[in-house]
Amino acid sequence: MLEPLFDDPRAAILAAFAFGLLLGSFLNVVILRLPRRLEWRWKRDSRELLNLSEPYEPAPPGIVIEASHCPQCGHKLAAWENIPLLSFVALRGRCRSCKAAISWQYPAVELLTGLLFATCVWRFGAGWEGGLALVFTAILIALSGIDLRTQLLPDELTYPLLWLGLLASIVTMFVDPVSAIVGAAVGYLSLWSVYWLFKLATGKEGMGYGDFKLLAALGAWCGIKAILPILLLSSLVGAVIGTIWLFAKGRDRATPIPFGPFLAIAGWLQFISGADWLAEYMNWALHG
């Protein structure tokens, strides 16, 4: 039944786009619910560690089992209200029950996931490489969304991303094992060093540990040669987008901005292109 997807690249790309729309709906759930689940678990574990009495605090909705619902009135969504993009348009961006506005995050993540999934299959095909590229992309989208909302990069996502990259290198899916292992180590240590130099110089924390782990994961997928281009590109993207965001929100430069999404953007572009951005830039700078 799947043979047409392997034989016809256009069908595979279209199927990846449709699958991305569906998975994007699930990624919205992960972005919204995973941080709340983690916070609830951290509080529970802290009470247990400190031997405090356990107050009744019901667990937040699960990521898989509990049905989607309106965060304002609790209205459980019918199947037709859960169709990616189309439901948002049909409902005119408002809850059918209480008429509260539906966040643009939902259609934006769905459309983004569909487009990036289609790009992955266009680049790597509908085989194992393309499948792993979809996993890589989905985790990066979830991490970016969570970091934008909470300034957290959960270990529950960064560690699996790291280990999948290292395991894929065993068969040299994208990079060889040496490049993946060294890339992961250098990725982690580079931002770890920047963190401590900044903290020693200013007494402040310039970034979180999740950024180290994310760059380590990107190093495992893209290899050692990708670390410097990813850092340069993420800094450039962060400077441009961050300045625009601060200006639009009327904030000053002291406002913290999550760095994870910019790392994810740079890492995904590096992964998809496979280009040596640094070498190309140096060639352009030297020869025009």
Side-chain angles (χ1 to χ4, degrees):
M1 186 174 66
L2 296 177
E3 287 183 2
L5 297 182
F6 293 94
D7 297 335
D8 187 351
R10 291 172 298 181
I13 293 171
L14 184 60
F17 176 74
F19 178 60
L21 293 180
L22 294 173
L23 192 65
S25 181
F26 174 72
L27 291 179
N28 272 314
V29 175
V30 174
I31 291 169
L32 294 171
R33 295 186 184 181
L34 180 58
R36 294 174 58 195
R37 297 283 300 183
L38 292 176
E39 183 181 4
W40 175 83
R41 193 179 72 189
W42 294 334
K43 289 180 178 178
R44 182 200 62 190
D45 293 346
S46 297
R47 294 190 193 102
E48 182 179 337
L49 180 65
L50 297 172
N51 199 25
L52 299 176
S53 57
E54 183 74 23
Y56 175 71
E57 185 178 347
I63 296 176
V64 178
I65 299 176
E66 281 84 351
S68 298
H69 60 274
C70 173
Q72 300 296 326
C73 67
H75 164 68
K76 291 185 177 181
L77 304 186
W80 72 270
E81 295 175 279
N82 250 333
I83 303 173
L85 295 183
L86 297 180
S87 293
F88 184 84
V89 175
L91 294 168
R92 297 183 179 180
R94 296 196 172 272
C95 171
R96 182 164 62 95
S97 177
C98 68
K99 306 305 179 184
I102 300 173
S103 172
W104 278 90
Q105 172 190 315
Y106 295 97
V109 170
E110 291 165 356
L111 180 59
L112 176 65
T113 308
L115 292 173
L116 297 190
F117 273 29
T119 304
C120 287
V121 172
W122 166 78
R123 171 67 174 82
F124 296 107
W128 281 104
E129 288 187 355
L132 280 176
L134 299 187
V135 175
F136 174 79
T137 301
I139 296 177
L140 287 184
I141 292 173
L143 283 168
S144 298
I146 292 172
D147 201 18
L148 284 172
R149 293 179 61 89
T150 65
Q151 296 188 20
L152 292 174
L153 291 169
D155 292 347
E156 285 75 2
L157 294 177
T158 54
Y159 282 155
L161 185 65
L162 169 63
W163 287 112
L164 281 172
L166 292 175
L167 289 172
S169 74
I170 294 176
V171 292
T172 316
M173 187 73 70
F174 304 106
V175 295
D176 63 85
V178 173
S179 183
I181 294 170
V182 177
V186 171
Y188 185 91
L189 291 173
S190 59
L191 287 186
W192 178 86
S193 302
V194 172
Y195 167 88
W196 280 108
L197 288 173
F198 183 83
K199 188 171 183 178
L200 290 172
T202 65
K204 300 178 182 179
E205 295 184 354
M207 64 181 65
Y209 279 63
D211 296 316
F212 317 162
K213 299 168 188 175
L214 176 55
L215 187 55
L218 294 175
W221 285 82
C222 302
I224 177 61
K225 292 183 178 180
I227 296 299
L228 186 55
I230 288 174
L231 283 173
L232 294 175
L233 185 57
S234 61
S235 299
L236 176 61
V237 173
V240 173
I241 296 179
T243 300
I244 295 173
W245 183 84
L246 290 175
F247 179 79
K249 295 290 184 179
R251 309 283 180 85
D252 57 40
R253 294 193 175 186
T255 303
I257 299 176
F259 190 50
F262 306 130
L263 281 174
I265 292 171
W268 189 84
L269 290 174
Q270 175 66 41
F271 176 74
I272 288 295
S273 67
D276 189 340
W277 298 98
L278 184 61
E280 292 185 7
Y281 172 78
M282 293 299 295
N283 182 64
W284 174 81
L286 292 173
H287 301 97

